[in-house]
Amino acid sequence: FPSGEEIFPPANDPAMLLQGVTLSSPIEALQPVNTAITLTFSDIIDPDTGSLVAIRLGGRGSPIETLPEYNLVERKLILRPKANLVSEAEYQIDVGTSIKSLAGVAIDRPTRVTFRTGRDVLPNPPMEVPLTLADMIGTKGQLKAFCAASGCHAVQAVGEVAARNLDLSTESPALRSYLVNTTAVGSPESLRLVQPGQPERSYLLRKLLATGSFARIMGEPMPAEGNPPLGTDAMLAVQRWIRQGAN
């Protein structure tokens, strides 16, 4: 629930670290022309700053346009060039200190990574198994198991009202409509509870992540204090469900 607490932590928080840069092939090898670039950070990256990572041909010219994928759960940013790269050419990745965490803390130092492409083209990855809202709150769903309790997000007695009117005990079209159309009360950025296709801009995921990281929310993380947090696999499932369109 919203409170008077500050939405940003103290300014003396340690800097965010860039823990690794990986490509589709070992970084010292020739990369396929449709390589994917994964940056791993020590904290949750602010999606408003992720677009500032620059990939350039030979270190010169305009940045290559990419399709970013934010994996907030595992603190990763995955960049896929919109078009195949030039074969047998040198590219440069620049990660500057303008990249920040959700806590507003920049990475500790700029980093530059150089790689070369070959001629290979990677095949398309297999399709992900589609997830639905019923998978999230069905009998095996982690959200129902951890969140749909009396006094939380469930109505289990006559006259009872679910917290924030968000009843996760039963899957229905009305519940999906509520999730994707409601602006979260207390969201500092006026985020929707669920922004289909964009888990990085979905307040529901931020509230779940806040049990282990600063996620720029107001009030308490979810599940509430005294309840076990969702495991990584469960949060990855929620993230994937949102990215697939929150159907």
Side-chain angles (χ1 to χ4, degrees):
F1 291 86
S3 68
E5 68 189 70
E6 294 292 330
I7 64 169
F8 288 97
N12 59 359
D13 274 21
M16 181 169 64
L17 305 178
L18 176 61
Q19 296 182 320
V21 180
T22 57
L23 291 91
S24 297
S25 296
I27 204 160
E28 67 276 3
L30 293 179
Q31 299 299 317
V33 294
N34 57 343
T35 191
I37 300 155
T38 301
L39 310 176
T40 304
F41 297 91
S42 62
D43 206 345
I44 300 175
I45 187 173
D46 184 341
D48 287 334
T49 68
S51 61
L52 302 176
V53 176
I55 303 167
R56 291 185 171 88
L57 173 63
R60 299 182 300 277
S62 300
I64 305 297
E65 286 192 87
T66 62
L67 296 171
E69 178 182 315
Y70 294 89
N71 181 340
L72 301 192
V73 177
E74 296 181 312
R75 304 177 178 183
K76 294 179 179 179
L77 169 61
I78 304 166
L79 300 171
R80 296 181 175 88
K82 287 186 177 181
N84 283 354
L85 302 177
V86 177
S87 61
E88 299 180 335
E90 182 176 279
Y91 284 85
Q92 184 174 289
I93 307 168
D94 283 316
V95 186
T97 54
S98 53
I99 311 299
K100 293 184 169 71
S101 70
L102 281 176
V105 180
I107 60 173
D108 61 334
R109 61 183 183 277
T111 300
R112 174 172 291 173
V113 175
T114 301
F115 68 91
R116 290 192 63 84
T117 56
R119 291 181 172 273
D120 293 339
V121 180
L122 289 177
N124 292 328
M127 292 290 291
E128 288 184 325
V129 176
L131 295 174
T132 66
L133 181 57
D135 295 320
M136 297 297 101
I137 64 170
T139 54
K140 296 181 180 179
Q142 297 290 322
L143 287 184
K144 183 172 184 177
F146 284 84
C147 305
S150 181
C152 293
H153 296 290
V155 175
Q156 298 184 347
V158 176
E160 191 174 32
V161 178
R164 295 298 182 205
N165 290 319
L166 178 57
D167 185 355
L168 296 174
S169 60
T170 305
E171 183 273 333
S172 68
L175 172 59
R176 183 189 182 277
S177 178
Y178 183 86
L179 286 168
V180 302
N181 291 308
T182 301
T183 299
V185 176
S187 167
E189 299 159 84
S190 299
L191 300 177
R192 293 186 193 178
L193 286 173
V194 170
Q195 181 68 52
Q198 294 183 288
E200 69 277 7
R201 300 195 182 279
S202 297
Y203 198 65
L204 173 65
L205 184 61
R206 297 257 188 113
K207 291 287 276 189
L208 299 175
L209 287 168
T211 55
S213 302
F214 180 82
R216 212 149 70 199
I217 64 167
M218 293 293 283
E220 298 296 322
M222 292 290 119
E225 187 176 357
N227 297 297
L230 270 71
T232 299
D233 288 346
M235 287 195 287
L236 284 171
V238 173
Q239 179 174 259
R240 181 155 60 96
W241 167 66
I242 298 172
R243 180 169 289 115
Q244 290 177 349
N247 297 309

